[in-house]
């Protein structure tokens, strides 16, 4: 039987494979967004699982960038973790660095919001407040359209994520912004 992890164990695992504060913070940000969407989309009973998927989604990225979404599957299988968790984490790289397709709505949310949280975070740092709390959708859309801003955030992946969810791009942008605003630390 697969091992169930606590949030603390997942966080310890994340820190075992990630030393850069940016990568740890990104995991925490995506965890927050995933928890928000679990509640918003009617998966409140699975909020812990959604959060854990968000926290661990880039588990292997810092140490194994060339094997991203592949090495994490090995690490998690070696720890005898739930196959559902392994699939969910690996699916966020679908068509980029993984052939694991996002099937569940949660996996599609992860795929759609991963890059977007980076874009929103970068946009927040440009604000006088350094926060998303006073950011409006109009401002975010302007940053999204500016290809030179946060050039490492792949807009096509974000668009593809919105399509997978069946959401308009503006809806994805706004909902993810609201998810990040749900945490006063952002």
């Amino acid at each position: 039987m697969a091992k169930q992890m606590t949030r603390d164990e997942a966080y310890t695992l994340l820190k075992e494979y990630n030393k850069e504060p940016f990568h740890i913070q990104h995991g925490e940000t995506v965890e927050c967004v995933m928890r928000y969407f679990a509640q918003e989309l009617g998966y409140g009973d699975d909020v812990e699982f959604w959060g854990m998927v968000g926290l661990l989604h880039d588990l292997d990225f810092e140490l194994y960038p060339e094997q991203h979404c592949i090495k994490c599957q090995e690490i998690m299988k070696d720890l005898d973790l739930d196959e559902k968790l392994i699939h969910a984490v690996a699916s966020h790289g679908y068509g980029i660095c993984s052939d694991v397709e996002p099937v569940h709505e949660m996996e599609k949310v992860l795929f759609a919001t991963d890059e977007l949280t980076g874009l929103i975070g970068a946009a927040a740092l440009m604000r006088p407040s350094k926060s998303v709390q006073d950011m409006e959708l109009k401002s975010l859309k302007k940053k999204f359209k500016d290809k030179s801003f946060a050039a490492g955030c792949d807009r096509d992946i974000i668009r593809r994520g919105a399509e997978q969810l069946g959401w308009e791009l503006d809806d994805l942008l706004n909902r993810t912004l609201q998810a990040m605003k749900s945490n006063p630390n952002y």
Side-chain angles (χ1 to χ4, degrees):
M1 189 169 138
K3 178 180 180 253
Q4 298 299 318
M5 286 187 109
T6 65
R7 196 272 178 193
D8 287 344
E9 289 170 332
Y11 187 71
T12 299
L13 181 62
L14 176 69
K15 289 181 76 173
E16 181 180 332
Y17 286 90
N18 292 271
K19 305 302 180 205
E20 291 290 327
F22 173 83
H23 291 136
I24 295 166
Q25 182 183 0
H26 175 65
E28 292 172 320
T29 299
V30 177
E31 173 190 23
C32 169
V33 167
M34 293 299 290
R35 287 172 167 275
Y36 175 91
F37 276 111
Q39 292 289 356
E40 185 189 276
L41 298 173
Y43 297 95
D45 291 346
D46 293 327
V47 73
E48 292 299 320
F49 181 74
W50 282 51
M52 194 167 307
V53 169
L55 185 64
L56 293 175
H57 80 283
D58 279 348
L59 176 66
D60 60 0
F61 186 77
E62 188 175 314
L63 290 180
Y64 307 101
E66 300 301 316
Q67 294 179 286
H68 181 44
C69 292
I70 296 165
K71 194 69 175 172
C72 69
Q73 293 177 71
E74 294 173 22
I75 293 166
M76 293 171 138
K77 283 177 183 168
D78 287 349
L79 294 171
D80 195 31
L81 296 180
D82 187 341
E83 188 59 41
K84 193 171 131 184
L85 176 67
I86 297 168
H87 186 278
V89 166
S91 74
H92 86 279
Y94 181 66
I96 307 154
C97 57
S98 165
D99 61 359
V100 178
E101 186 172 358
V103 178
H104 188 280
E105 188 172 22
M106 177 264 303
E107 296 169 341
K108 294 175 183 180
V109 168
L110 176 63
F111 183 93
T113 61
D114 179 26
E115 289 283 310
L116 183 51
T117 61
L119 183 83
I120 294 171
L125 292 175
M126 301 302 293
R127 303 182 67 73
S129 67
K130 305 277 189 236
S131 170
V132 298
Q133 298 304 323
D134 60 350
M135 187 184 300
E136 295 182 15
L137 178 59
K138 181 180 174 184
S139 173
L140 176 57
K141 285 171 61 172
K142 187 176 178 183
K143 294 293 188 193
F144 184 88
K145 290 176 184 172
D146 179 357
K147 290 178 178 55
S148 65
F149 177 78
C153 292
D154 191 328
R155 273 72 164 171
D156 289 336
I157 291 172
I158 297 168
R159 283 187 198 93
R160 208 165 77 214
E163 287 173 22
Q164 284 181 10
L165 286 164
W167 297 356
E168 294 294 324
L169 178 61
D170 282 5
D171 191 31
L172 174 63
L173 295 175
N174 188 49
R175 290 168 95 168
T176 306
L177 178 58
Q178 297 312 311
M180 288 181 69
K181 284 183 177 184
S182 74
N183 184 328
N185 296 327
Y186 297 129

